[in-house]
Every structure is written in structure tokens, then in C-alpha cells.
Amino acid sequence: VPINKLGDYKKSKEIFEKVLKIQENYYGNNNIQTMTTLINLANCFHQTGNYKKSKEIFERVLKIQENYY
């Protein structure tokens, strides 16, 4: 079961933020490889009511997709 499906979104957010740092260091800031982590992180923000931050991250995902596809 994915950690964000267990309902502990605060803990999930912390983990996804750490994973994202690792991925960005390895792949760069706007790489297709980071999209799943960004989506999971955006969902955590959404689930905790931080819709503004969630939207910002989803907009970043959209830009990555537009550049990749």
C-alpha cells in the first residue's frame, strides 16, 4: 500500500520531499523522472488543504509534460 494511501499525509509529504531532492540532484529539476514524485507530493498538499501549493506543483508537472511530449 502506498504511504499516501494510509492517510498520513504529513509523513508522506516529508518522504516525497526527500525523494524529490534526491531525484532533482540526479536528474535535474524538470525531468520526466521526477513527475510521479511531484504528482504524489501535490496530492499530499491537496489532501491537507494546501490547494495553492498543490496547484503550483501540478503546474510544474504540466510544464515538464509539455517539454517532454
Side-chain angles (χ1 to χ4, degrees):
V1 176
I3 190 165
N4 58 329
K5 298 291 182 190
L6 297 175
D8 190 351
Y9 295 103
K10 182 179 178 185
K11 182 67 174 170
S12 297
K13 185 178 77 70
E14 291 171 6
I15 291 170
F16 289 132
E17 286 173 335
K18 288 178 183 178
V19 170
L20 184 61
K21 275 188 173 182
I22 293 167
Q23 289 177 329
E24 287 176 334
N25 284 334
Y26 187 79
Y27 296 112
N29 290 339
N30 295 306
N31 190 284
I32 194 81
Q33 299 295 331
T34 62
M35 276 193 353
T36 300
T37 302
L38 286 167
I39 290 167
N40 289 332
L41 186 57
N43 286 330
C44 287
F45 279 108
H46 182 82
Q47 290 296 326
T48 57
N50 192 341
Y51 304 114
K52 182 179 178 183
K53 185 67 174 176
S54 178
K55 182 182 177 211
E56 289 172 9
I57 296 171
F58 277 126
E59 287 172 348
R60 181 175 167 193
V61 169
L62 178 60
K63 286 179 184 177
I64 292 171
Q65 287 183 339
E66 288 173 340
N67 289 332
Y68 186 77
Y69 298 106

